[in-house]
């Protein structure tokens, strides 16, 4: 039997005499895998070069006796005090030029050669010791790379590496001066050694320089992971290597990082951020899973799936009965082949003593344990069948780290956030029970009936051509506000009116625009007036037809949304950020034009998603609410798991199977 469920386990937090009880309880619950050791450097190397792996070997052997396999994490997100004491210079420097010190985690600089030497010594010994251990199946590199490294690191080592990176990219300093537009505010450089890391300035910053900095930081993290993976791969050729991502987090370009891993893993805490009460909306979670699947275009693992109330200093809401299971199966519905719950037992010490797990502080199995056990015993058998299969959406949303970086640097509108903007389009489709893929802009788009490419702010001639070809060959494309504004160096386009050559595709020009700041605006679509937010592109028709017009502003009665037939396809341009209602209605219209299939109908708390093999379709219907729900399916399926068709109990997860029509 393959592996489907697991827990994150920290045996070093507990007396050894408890371990066997833990493992017995895990076994009963149906656990098949644990992840361990990703923060246990000190326990494994308390003094330089003195390795203590016995305790870990003992835990692995005990688990293995019960048939539970182990994934080991390299503990490089938490270098121990003896390293810091010996080499304080490996602690990172923030934008204010201050050092960040020991006492939490991530107190490291990933470019620092001294730190890398410590890692090399440790990881080599670690990998050698466990290469042939029968209980070990794979490795997680570091932990949540990029986490806490947002504004880091500005140290001398990073500065040097950044200069080299720029030199490789630009060749000559003249090319860099050109690309960064250093004619402005006397920012010209004579040579690469004059370029610093972006320490806090007196006022303002150079957007082109900042874009390069973010890309460099991403490359550094990818290099750091790759370098560690190489060490392990050579010593442990039979083990897989993965890493736990954080959904849409953007400190590292996850498409690049995914490239060096055997598969991608993800961490998700729907009720983990108390600021988002009571929890993150399910549509946002669904989008996270879809983007995770998109990073490698493969099924993935959940390496940390929330299993209890979250909390560091402040706690989130308790999980309602059934809620954890619904979220876990949501991960599976979107492409997770394995779900590992964070964490086995709520620990008594440290920053995360209120971050709850399957067992509470007391270690006594209770409500959550029983729920997890029931979930595992219900669904493991089906996961055997559909493991490896993928969803097969007809709609794609284009996602890009570079666009995200550029809009983080200059959001244009104080509340405009790239991912939130994407999520608005996603939600309209999610509510209609239309599955979505996230893709990169230059991916082959031809298999999608509809491609939504929001905020194509940075543009290249290649990408323009790519979109033009897609539509010319029969594709349906949605482009939006702030498209074609900048070139790849984050300099404004000057040759033609916005949105550049894509204006030809959309049959429009955008000579002017309005930033709505604190105000909202209005749009007339059909006979109804709708709210819009943040932005209004002032559009002139050059062949397109208008399908909605502004009802506010000095540009009222001018086009807000346009449609243009081009070649055998259609391009829509949405010059604003639609409010929820307009988004819903406009996406209904467009998805009908594109003949997108919907999986069924139901209220907004009910999710539908499919995974498909060669000849079968598995359909998940998930009730994310505390109430009974009714639903109706489009298509013929057989109920495999669930009480009653067309009816859902609170938080019920139903599974259907159908034949794939060819
Ligand atoms: C992250 C980390 C874990 C733990 C949890 C809870 O996802 O990977 O180590 O810190 O959050 O805070
Ligand atoms: Zn550094």
């Amino acid at each position: 039997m393959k592996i489907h469920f697991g827990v994150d386990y920290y045996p070093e937090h507990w007396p050894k005499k408890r371990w066997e009880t833990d493992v017995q309880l895990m076994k009963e619950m149906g656990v098949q895998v644990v992840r361990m050791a990703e923060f246990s450097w000190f326990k494994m190397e308390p003094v330089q070069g003195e390795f203590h792996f016995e305790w870990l070997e003992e835990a692995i052997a005990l688990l293995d006796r019960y048939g539970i396999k182990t994934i080991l994490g390299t503990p490089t997100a938490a270098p121990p005090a003896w390293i810091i004491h010996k080499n304080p210079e490996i602690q990172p420097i923030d934008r204010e030029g201050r050092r960040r010190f020991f006492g939490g985690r991530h107190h490291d600089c990933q470019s620092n050669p001294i730190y890398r030497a410590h890692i090399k010594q440790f990881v080599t010994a670690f990998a050698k010791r466990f290469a042939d251990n029968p209980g070990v199946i794979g490795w997680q590199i570091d932990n949540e790379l990029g986490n806490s490294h947002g504004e880091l690191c500005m140290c001398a080592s990073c500065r040097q590496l950044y200069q080299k990176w720029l030199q490789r990219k630009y060749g000559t300093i003249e090319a860099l001066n050109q690309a960064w537009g250093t004619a402005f505010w006397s920012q010209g450089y004579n040579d690469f050694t004059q370029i610093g890391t972006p320490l806090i300035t007196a006022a303002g910053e150079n957007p082109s320089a900042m874009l390069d900095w973010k890309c460099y930081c991403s490359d550094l993290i990818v290099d750091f992971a790759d370098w560690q993976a190489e060490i392990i791969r050579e010593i442990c050729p039979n083990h897989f290597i993965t890493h736990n991502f954080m959904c849409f987090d953007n400190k590292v370009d996850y498409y690049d990082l995914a490239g060096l891993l055997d598969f991608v893993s993800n961490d998700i805490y729907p009720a983990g951020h108390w600021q988002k009460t009571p929890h993150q909306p399910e549509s946002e979670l669904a989008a996270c899973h879809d983007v995770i699947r998109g990073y490698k275009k493969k099924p993935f693992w959940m390496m940390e799936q929330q299993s209890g109330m979250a909390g560091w200093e402040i706690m989130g809401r308790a999980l309602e009965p059934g809620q954890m299971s619904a979220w876990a199966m949501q991960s599976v519905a979107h492409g997770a082949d394995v779900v590992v719950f964070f964490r086995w037992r709520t620990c008594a010490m440290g920053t995360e003593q209120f971050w709850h797990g399957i067992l509470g502080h007391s270690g006594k199995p209770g409500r959550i344990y029983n729920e997890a056990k029931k979930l595992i015993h219900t669904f493991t058998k089906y996961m055997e069948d559909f493991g490896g299969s993928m969803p097969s959406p007809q709609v794609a949303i284009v996602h890009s780290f570079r666009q995200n970086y550029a809009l983080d640097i200059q959001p244009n509108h104080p509340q405009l956030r790239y991912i939130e903007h994407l999520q608005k389009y996603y939600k309209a489709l999610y509510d209609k029970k239309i599955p979505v893929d996230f893709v990169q802009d230059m991916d082959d788009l031809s298999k999608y009936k509809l491609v939504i490419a929001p905020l194509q702010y940075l543009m290249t001639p290649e990408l323009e051509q790519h979109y033009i070809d897609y539509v010319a060959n029969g594709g349906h494309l949605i482009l939006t506000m702030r498209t074609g504004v900048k070139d790849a160096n984050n300099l404004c386009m000057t040759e033609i009116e916005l949105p550049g050559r894509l204006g030809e595709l959309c049959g429009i020009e955008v000579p002017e625009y309005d930033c709505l700041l604190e105000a909202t605006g209005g749009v007339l679509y059909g006979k109804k007036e709708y709210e819009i937010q943040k932005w209004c592109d002032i559009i002139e028709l050059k062949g397109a037809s208008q399908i909605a017009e502004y009802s506010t502003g000095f540009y009222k009665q001018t086009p807000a949304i346009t449609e243009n037939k081009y070649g055998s396809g259609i391009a829509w341009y949405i010059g604003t950020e639609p409010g929820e209602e307009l988004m819903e209605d406009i996406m209904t219209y467009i998805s009908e034009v594109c003949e997108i299939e919907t999986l069924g109908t139901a209220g907004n708390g009910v999710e539908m998603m499919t995974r498909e093999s060669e000849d079968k379709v598995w359909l998940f219907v998930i009730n994310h609410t505390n109430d009974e729900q009714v639903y109706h399916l489009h298509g013929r399926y057989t109920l495999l798991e669930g009480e009653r068709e067309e009816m859902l109990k609170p938080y019920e997860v139903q599974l259907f199977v159908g034949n794939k029509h060819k």
Side-chain angles (χ1 to χ4, degrees):
M1 186 155 83
K2 295 211 199 83
I3 285 169
H4 302 295
F5 287 98
V7 291
D8 297 299
Y9 186 36
Y10 302 90
E12 71 276 24
H13 294 171
W14 304 98
K16 212 178 270 181
K17 65 176 190 319
R18 163 75 194 197
W19 291 2
E20 187 141 12
T21 308
D22 279 337
V23 177
Q24 277 164 351
L25 284 170
M26 284 181 201
K27 182 73 191 165
E28 269 170 49
M29 185 175 118
V31 165
Q32 299 158 308
V33 72
V34 299
R35 181 198 60 182
M36 294 196 288
E38 82 282 7
F39 287 106
S40 318
W41 195 335
F42 181 68
K43 184 101 182 146
M44 295 187 276
E45 193 187 9
V47 176
Q48 185 160 22
E50 206 183 294
F51 299 106
H52 287 282
F53 295 119
E54 329 73 58
W55 65 275
L56 188 56
E57 274 169 341
E58 225 176 291
I60 293 169
L62 174 62
L63 287 153
D64 202 27
R65 272 215 304 286
Y66 284 80
I68 300 171
K69 295 294 172 192
T70 294
I71 296 165
L72 293 171
T74 63
T76 49
W82 63 258
I83 294 186
I84 302 302
H85 183 73
K86 187 167 179 216
N87 301 110
E89 70 275 28
I90 72 155
Q91 294 171 117
I93 304 281
D94 69 15
R95 291 196 72 183
E96 290 179 41
R98 301 172 305 192
R99 232 179 240 303
R100 296 292 191 90
F101 299 103
F102 182 84
R105 58 178 173 184
H106 302 287
H107 41 272
D108 52 40
C109 164
Q110 288 159 336
S111 83
N112 191 296
I114 296 168
Y115 186 40
R116 292 230 185 169
H118 282 294
I119 294 175
K120 179 142 201 216
Q121 196 180 3
F122 176 78
V123 172
T124 305
F126 194 18
K128 278 190 177 154
R129 186 68 165 251
F130 292 98
D132 300 316
N133 187 306
V136 176
I137 55 171
W139 298 82
Q140 173 188 294
I141 302 287
D142 201 281
N143 189 75
E144 293 187 341
L145 285 162
N147 189 350
S148 326
H149 271 263
E151 300 280 88
L152 307 173
C153 163
M154 312 278 154
C155 77
S157 153
C158 285
R159 182 184 160 120
Q160 243 187 29
L161 214 69
Y162 181 44
Q163 290 169 350
K164 278 199 197 132
W165 185 92
L166 291 169
Q167 190 144 22
R168 260 201 317 277
K169 175 166 177 185
Y170 293 108
T172 65
I173 200 67
E174 292 74 24
L176 176 136
N177 281 323
Q178 187 72 24
W180 283 14
T182 57
F184 187 77
W185 282 356
S186 194
Q187 287 175 356
Y189 299 99
N190 305 113
D191 65 73
F192 287 93
T193 59
Q194 291 171 352
I195 300 171
T197 53
L199 288 163
I200 195 163
T201 64
E205 50 194 28
N206 180 324
S208 301
M210 289 308 293
L211 179 61
D212 267 338
W213 170 254
K214 284 179 184 285
C215 294
Y216 153 79
C217 288
S218 172
D219 283 359
L220 170 62
I221 295 174
V222 173
D223 173 78
F224 181 74
D226 195 27
W227 169 82
Q228 275 201 38
E230 278 307 305
I231 301 176
I232 295 171
R233 212 159 256 141
E234 214 182 295
I235 304 170
C236 309
N238 300 322
H239 291 162
F240 62 73
I241 296 180
T242 186
H243 177 70
N244 53 340
F245 290 27
M246 297 174 283
C247 304
F248 280 101
D249 192 83
N250 70 7
K251 305 305 184 318
V252 50
D253 187 320
Y254 280 146
Y255 295 99
D256 294 345
L257 190 54
L260 63 100
L261 304 172
D262 292 299
F263 57 86
V264 165
S265 299
N266 193 36
D267 296 350
I268 206 159
Y269 293 97
H273 312 279
W274 58 268
Q275 293 92 337
K276 285 214 175 189
T277 47
H279 58 75
Q280 218 180 339
E282 271 76 23
S283 73
E284 290 185 14
L285 303 172
C288 288
H289 298 307
D290 288 340
V291 83
I292 286 288
R293 188 180 71 246
Y295 291 138
K296 209 174 167 74
K297 297 191 177 1
K298 261 177 90 165
F300 54 91
W301 282 41
M302 292 305 302
M303 199 57 96
E304 297 180 17
Q305 173 88 40
Q306 182 169 5
S307 68
M309 179 197 248
W312 278 15
E313 295 80 19
I314 309 287
M315 277 178 258
R317 298 296 304 264
L319 306 191
E320 296 191 2
Q323 202 168 24
M324 173 185 80
S325 304
W327 282 331
M329 290 314 291
Q330 180 189 38
S331 305
V332 172
H334 288 263
D337 275 349
V338 181
V339 176
V340 179
F341 289 105
F342 187 91
R343 51 190 154 157
W344 172 242
R345 181 173 174 183
T346 317
C347 75
M349 68 272 224
T351 310
E352 296 191 344
Q353 57 200 157
F354 296 131
W355 204 284
H356 294 70
I358 297 278
L359 301 183
H361 287 125
S362 75
K364 268 187 20 208
R367 176 173 71 87
I368 296 278
Y369 175 86
N370 291 328
E371 183 178 320
K373 182 171 166 184
K374 182 163 169 242
L375 171 82
I376 295 175
H377 289 278
T378 306
F379 285 102
T380 300
K381 52 183 178 293
Y382 305 116
M383 287 169 77
E384 282 291 287
D385 294 338
F386 61 71
S389 66
M390 289 279 278
S392 161
Q394 300 176 337
V395 181
I397 297 179
V398 172
H399 169 240
S400 148
F401 283 86
R402 288 179 66 82
Q403 304 288 6
N404 197 348
Y405 293 155
L407 287 158
D408 276 356
I409 295 163
Q410 291 169 303
N412 288 242
H413 178 282
Q415 269 93 47
L416 179 63
R417 299 286 174 274
Y418 175 73
I419 299 302
E420 282 174 23
H421 188 86
L422 262 56
Q423 288 276 17
K424 291 186 181 185
Y425 282 91
Y426 183 91
K427 181 173 188 301
L429 296 158
Y430 175 87
D431 288 345
K432 291 183 209 312
K433 324 304 175 200
I434 296 174
V436 170
D437 268 345
F438 283 94
V439 296
Q440 294 196 83
D441 46 20
M442 289 303 286
D443 281 352
D444 176 13
L445 305 173
S446 61
K447 71 169 176 177
Y448 297 104
K449 285 189 178 174
L450 171 65
V451 172
I452 306 172
L455 299 170
Q456 297 298 289
Y457 184 64
L458 303 175
M459 192 46 62
T460 62
E462 296 74 33
L463 187 54
E464 281 174 336
Q465 194 57 50
H466 188 56
Y467 287 144
I468 289 170
D469 291 345
Y470 168 65
V471 178
N473 293 321
H476 302 107
L477 178 67
I478 299 178
L479 292 170
T480 78
M481 58 188 249
R482 304 317 278 147
T483 286
V485 177
K486 305 257 201 135
D487 68 11
N489 294 321
N490 214 4
L491 298 174
C492 286
M493 300 278 202
T494 53
E495 296 290 301
I496 32 177
E497 293 293 6
L498 298 182
R501 261 196 79 203
L502 294 172
E504 195 186 299
L505 173 65
C506 296
I508 58 161
E509 265 180 20
V510 180
E512 277 195 89
Y513 35 77
D514 186 17
C515 180
L516 294 180
L517 287 179
E518 73 287 355
T520 54
V523 144
L524 215 72
Y525 170 60
K527 296 208 161 35
K528 217 169 133 188
E529 195 174 350
Y530 294 85
E531 189 183 285
I532 52 165
Q533 289 150 9
K534 299 189 180 78
W535 195 265
C536 296
D537 274 341
I538 301 173
I539 301 172
E540 283 178 12
L541 298 178
K542 303 277 171 194
S545 40
Q546 164 186 314
I547 62 172
E549 65 180 34
Y550 293 114
S551 59
T552 51
F554 67 86
Y555 38 86
K556 85 173 173 218
Q557 294 178 335
T558 69
I561 304 177
T562 62
E563 178 175 307
N564 193 43
K565 293 212 158 59
Y566 186 93
S568 339
I570 305 176
W572 286 275
Y573 189 86
I574 301 182
T576 181
E577 185 176 284
E580 201 168 335
E581 251 184 287
L582 176 62
M583 188 65 103
E584 200 182 313
D585 289 357
I586 206 79
M587 293 310 292
T588 300
Y589 165 70
I590 292 177
S591 55
E592 279 170 16
V593 172
C594 302
E595 298 178 346
I596 311 284
E597 290 157 28
T598 63
L599 296 173
T601 48
N604 279 356
V606 175
E607 177 164 344
M608 295 181 187
M609 187 66 194
T610 57
R611 293 179 66 165
E612 301 184 10
S613 67
E614 286 264 293
D615 55 343
K616 281 190 189 151
V617 183
W618 285 270
L619 169 75
F620 300 78
V621 185
I622 304 172
N623 182 0
H624 288 292
T625 75
N626 205 353
D627 302 311
E628 285 195 355
Q629 297 279 352
V630 292
Y631 67 89
H632 176 70
L633 294 181
H634 301 157
R636 288 175 40 176
Y637 301 92
T638 313
L639 184 67
L640 290 178
E641 197 59 56
E643 199 98 328
R644 218 180 107 196
E645 246 170 272
E646 311 233 309
M647 280 284 296
L648 291 161
K649 291 184 297 177
Y651 295 112
E652 187 181 353
V653 178
Q654 296 191 347
L655 178 63
F656 292 81
V657 70
N659 291 321
K660 199 156 155 181
H661 48 262
K662 297 239 167 72

